[in-house]
Amino acid sequence: MRRAEMLSWLREEHPGEVSGLWRLANRVRRKNVGSDVHLRGLIEFSNHCRRSCSYCGIRSPNRKIARYRMRADEILDCARAAVRLGYGTVVLQSGEDPEITAEWMADLIRRIKAATGLAVTLSLGERTEEELALWRRAGADRYLLRFETSNPRLYGRFHPSLPGRDSDRLALLVELRTLGYETGSGTLVGLPGQTYEDLARDIDLFGQLDLDMIGLGPYIPHPGTPLGKSWKECCAPPDRQVPNTEEMTYKVLALARLVCPRANIPVTTAVATLNRSAGFELGLSRGANVIMPNVTPMTCRRMYAIYPGKACAFENHDSACKRLRYRILNEGRFVGKGRGDSPNYARRTRREAV
Ligand code: 5AD
């Protein structure tokens, strides 16, 4: 799809036209990844972070949150809970926690693989090539690293590099792919200063990177962050600024499905936060095929406050899981069995092998 066409979808406001985009994305989703909805057990195992991203609530300078790091045996218990609930994958997510050493993480991955056989997805931020290679050898299957925005000026402004180390997420994404990871990335929708052109470029980049997974959500201002305090002043003029709305997020989701037809695309928690009662259903009918239920212990989950008001059921795992299954079946969809690997990964690795 040409960038001009993406732009006109992003700017389209006529409900009749927009529903044409939903229908198209839904059709492309069904044809390429079928009707299964894959469930991933999300384990947010540490909220320590050395970075100072100005949009994120767990940024290192935020002294207002209590920090935690789960022990390996506690994380293993969560992985076992994921098996019991019928999930095929665990996603191990944390801030960029310097205390998580390469060896400790490799050992944890090996233990989870040995004890559960689940697919393991990592989402640990920007780590060294050596670490990424070690974890892949330890058995990690997938890696998620959002590029957040393809506009280098915005990225640099909100995402300061560590001293002496330039942050280059695009290079890391290429590295992850070379190491044989199923590779996922994505953006924030409605980041202050993000224009429609920026967002169209983000979606174009999904296609150029040939992503296996795409995770995206609306920017939700966090009052304990610099951007959360001043986001209105950081916005582009109203006719150019992308709104951080639910509808805009679905448009990006639908367009992501069109440019990466075989990718696994979740309805993220940030989307569900904007619409608790129907966010999952709307996302699933507009291109998505994955949901990531949270299996982090309740006490920790509250402290993993990337943005305020995070929707993650405060009920026990079993009833949350039951209710989610009901919602999926109610949409005329099925709950995926097994690992739910990305059909895009299968195809490109077959192609690369010949
Ligand atoms: N609103 C929405 N999403 C956010 N993230 C970080 N801060 C916010 C926020 N304020 C997203 C980033 C990151 C992911 C784990 O959470 O895109 O990659």
Side-chain angles (χ1 to χ4, degrees):
M1 185 191 291
R2 303 257 293 269
R3 205 164 309 152
E5 199 184 335
M6 288 178 202
L7 259 177
S8 82
W9 277 124
L10 292 173
R11 285 190 172 277
E12 181 60 63
E13 282 182 2
H14 191 278
E17 295 294 324
V18 174
S19 64
L21 175 62
W22 308 149
R23 275 198 303 277
L24 186 59
N26 198 34
R27 201 159 1 129
V28 171
R29 185 271 308 157
R30 191 185 314 122
K31 179 162 171 267
N32 289 278
V33 296
S35 292
D36 282 358
V37 177
H38 303 292
L39 301 180
R40 323 298 199 193
L42 175 63
I43 311 176
E44 298 157 332
F45 67 94
S46 163
N47 70 350
H48 288 270
C49 191
R50 60 182 169 184
R51 305 301 290 265
S52 312
C53 305
S54 55
Y55 44 81
C56 182
I58 67 168
R59 66 200 302 273
S60 131
N62 186 1
R63 308 246 176 276
K64 293 226 174 82
I65 56 165
R67 303 281 172 172
Y68 71 91
R69 184 179 299 113
M70 288 167 63
R71 293 193 313 269
D73 61 301
E74 294 171 321
I75 302 170
L76 261 161
D77 283 345
C78 293
R80 289 198 188 94
V83 174
R84 194 170 46 76
L85 294 166
Y87 305 157
T89 299
V90 276
V91 180
L92 301 174
Q93 189 175 85
S94 70
E96 249 176 60
D97 181 350
E99 302 278 306
I100 295 171
T101 64
E103 268 312 325
W104 182 87
M105 195 68 215
D107 190 53
L108 176 65
I109 295 164
R110 280 190 288 263
R111 287 172 68 187
I112 293 178
K113 296 299 285 193
T116 69
L118 291 171
V120 171
T121 304
L122 304 180
S123 177
L124 312 174
E126 296 163 41
R127 309 289 305 217
T128 65
E129 285 176 22
E130 292 73 31
E131 289 173 315
L132 299 174
L134 177 69
W135 299 336
R136 176 81 185 124
R137 285 199 302 277
D141 303 276
R142 314 180 184 137
Y143 204 102
L144 299 172
L145 182 69
R146 293 190 186 175
F147 60 76
E148 317 289 5
T149 169
S150 61
N151 177 331
R153 202 177 37 79
L154 273 189
Y155 184 79
R157 179 160 156 211
F158 297 144
H159 191 94
S161 289
L162 289 171
R165 259 217 262 159
D166 264 351
S167 162
D168 189 347
R169 291 198 169 190
L170 297 184
L172 275 179
L173 287 167
V174 172
E175 180 65 25
L176 287 164
R177 192 180 150 109
T178 311
L179 288 168
Y181 281 99
E182 233 184 71
T183 304
S185 193
T187 39
L188 283 165
V189 177
L191 202 56
Q194 181 184 55
T195 64
Y196 288 91
E197 284 74 16
D198 290 332
L199 191 53
R201 225 174 295 116
D202 291 357
I203 299 165
D204 219 5
L205 191 53
F206 298 162
Q208 287 165 29
L209 290 167
D210 188 22
L211 294 174
D212 304 316
M213 305 175 280
I214 301 171
L216 51 93
Y219 163 66
I220 301 175
H222 188 306
T225 61
L227 190 58
K229 292 191 181 88
S230 67
W231 68 286
K232 295 215 170 100
E233 292 95 272
C234 297
C235 282
D239 56 325
R240 303 195 63 205
Q241 170 67 45
V242 172
N244 57 342
T245 56
E246 191 187 351
E247 165 120 335
M248 187 56 68
T249 309
Y250 297 133
K251 281 187 182 173
V252 182
L253 198 155
L255 291 167
R257 172 59 67 203
L258 301 185
V259 298
C260 294
R262 292 172 211 86
N264 279 335
I265 306 182
V267 196
T268 58
T269 309
V271 175
T273 298
L274 296 193
N275 183 348
R276 282 162 202 261
S277 60
F280 284 147
E281 286 80 356
L282 290 169
L284 289 178
S285 66
R286 296 169 176 183
N289 72 322
V290 171
I291 292 178
M292 299 162 65
N294 203 313
V295 294
T296 314
M298 219 57 84
T299 45
C300 301
R301 202 184 294 187
R302 286 202 185 89
M303 293 186 257
Y304 202 83
I306 294 178
Y307 47 81
K310 196 173 78 163
C312 48
F314 288 117
E315 57 193 335
N316 71 48
H317 295 340
D318 294 82
S319 66
C321 176
K322 261 199 210 117
R323 218 156 47 88
L324 194 56
R325 284 173 189 273
Y326 174 80
R327 287 174 74 169
I328 292 168
L329 297 176
N330 217 21
E331 282 299 289
R333 303 281 281 274
F334 303 100
V335 177
K337 296 198 172 70
R339 293 166 40 117
D341 290 319
S342 165
N344 194 63
Y345 178 81
R347 204 176 97 122
R348 72 177 171 80
T349 46
R350 247 199 330 269
R351 220 172 30 216
E352 280 156 10
V354 291

